[in-house]
Structures are given as structure tokens and as C-alpha cells.
């Protein structure tokens, strides 16, 4: 009886970075999620409240947080503070919580100024969402999709 050869190990691709998005507005969540999925290599989980986002952050590992400052049950900066304390205790091997980008409305600009001192804060994006700002802020945090779902628009035809 001849021994059976060991199966050839196959390379397992690393998991995609995962983003946690907490924003009350369903349309805003959809726009942000679809833009990230179209232009970045990542998976996106979203939550309509801080409580739900906190539960999700403790269950899964994330590479980036996108938290709206105004949430229906808890302020986004308070959510970030709570998650940053609990995250390394729950996720073995994590020394700190992932970086955070805050989604702000014009009335939150002064409050955001105070939050910028934290090393994990990577910026803010105004609401309603602006695609160019989102892609600029995530450029160094999430890998770019090689073939974006939406190719760039062709230049307009030359009119004479």
C-alpha cells in the first residue's frame, strides 16, 4: 500500500479590512457603504445607533471606525471612547482600537476640533457625505480596489 501524498497547501488570502459605520440616517449609511465597497477593498458593517455599533465592535475585529458625532442614543465621541477602552480587552492581540473618522454636521465643527488631539482620529467627513472627502480620508487606511466598480468618467467629447 502506497502512502497518499499530503495535499498541497493552498495560500489563504488575508481577510479584507472591515469597517464599522455608525450613522442614524439610512440613506447616508447606504451612500457611504456603497462608495467604500466600490472604491476600496473592504467589508462594511453599519449600525443605526451607538449601542448597536458598540455590540458589533466587541463581536468582530475592525480596521476602521466611521462614527457620526450625533447618534440617537449616545454621542459618537462617547461611543469611540467606550469602544477604545473595551476593544483591546475583547480582541486578543489588539493593543488599541482601530483609527476613527468622525461624520460631522456643520453644527459639530467646534466639538470636532477638541477630538482631533487623539492620535486615532484620522479626520472628519461632513454630512451629507462627500465622496471625494471619504476617498481622500480612507486612501491610507484601506487598500484601493484595482478595478473600481464605477470607472472614471471619460473626458467630454471635443466640441468645435
Amino acid at each position: 500500500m502506497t502512502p497518499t501524498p499530503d495535499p498541497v497547501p493552498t495560500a489563504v488570502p488575508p481577510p479584507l479590512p472591515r469597517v464599522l459605520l455608525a450613522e442614524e440616517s439610512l440613506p447616508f449609511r447606504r451612500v457611504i457603504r456603497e462608495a467604500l465597497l466600490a472604491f476600496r477593498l473592504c467589508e462594511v458593517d453599519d449600525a443605526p445607533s451607538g449601542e448597536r455599533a458598540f455590540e458589533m465592535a466587541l463581536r468582530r475585529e475592525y480596521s476602521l471606525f466611521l462614527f457620526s458625532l450625533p447618534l440617537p442614543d449616545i454621542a459618537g465621541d462617547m461611543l469611540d471612547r467606550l469602544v477604545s477602552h473595551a476593544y483591546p480587552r475583547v480582541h486578543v492581540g489588539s493593543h488599541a482600537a482601530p483609527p476613527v473618522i468622525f461624520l460631522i454636521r456643520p453644527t459639530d465643527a467646534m466639538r470636532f476640533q477638541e477630538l482631533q488631539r487623539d492620535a486615532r482620529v484620522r479626520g472628519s467627513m461632513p454630512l451629507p457625505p462627500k465622496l471625494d472627502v471619504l476617498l481622500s480620508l480612507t486612501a491610507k487606511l484601506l487598500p484601493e480596489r484595482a478595478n473600481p466598480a464605477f470607472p472614471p468618467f471619460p473626458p467630454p467629447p471635443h466640441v468645435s
Side-chain angles (χ1 to χ4, degrees):
M1 179 171 188
T2 58
T4 59
D6 291 334
V8 177
T10 58
V12 177
L16 290 176
R18 186 175 291 278
V19 177
L20 177 57
L21 166 63
E23 165 53 34
E24 180 178 21
S25 166
L26 178 60
F28 288 173
R29 286 197 321 267
R30 282 185 178 166
V31 165
I32 293 168
R33 181 180 56 243
E34 294 304 319
L36 288 173
L37 293 175
F39 293 98
R40 300 284 179 243
L41 284 173
C42 65
E43 295 180 17
V44 180
D45 294 335
D46 64 278
S49 68
E51 179 182 2
R52 178 83 175 112
F54 184 77
E55 292 170 355
M56 293 169 80
L58 297 184
R59 262 192 268 131
R60 292 184 131 160
E61 291 191 28
Y62 290 94
S63 300
L64 176 65
F65 293 142
L66 293 169
F67 293 159
S68 182
L69 274 182
L71 287 168
D73 52 355
I74 185 172
D77 54 336
M78 179 59 75
L79 168 63
D80 182 57
R81 222 173 303 148
L82 292 171
V83 169
S84 69
H85 289 298
Y87 194 90
R89 290 179 170 91
V90 173
H91 299 289
V92 179
S94 294
H95 300 292
V100 62
I101 295 171
F102 286 105
L103 311 175
I104 64 171
R105 289 177 172 77
T107 55
D108 300 319
M110 292 300 290
R111 199 161 117 212
F112 176 72
Q113 295 297 324
E114 299 170 16
L115 300 173
Q116 289 183 14
R117 295 183 204 141
D118 187 336
R120 289 183 37 256
V121 175
R122 299 302 167 88
S124 67
M125 183 178 72
L127 291 174
K130 305 226 180 304
L131 182 62
D132 59 331
V133 175
L134 177 65
L135 296 178
S136 172
L137 288 170
T138 58
K140 294 182 180 174
L141 301 170
L142 299 169
E144 188 173 344
R145 186 172 291 282
N147 297 318
F150 304 105
F153 294 108
H158 180 68
V159 180
S160 39

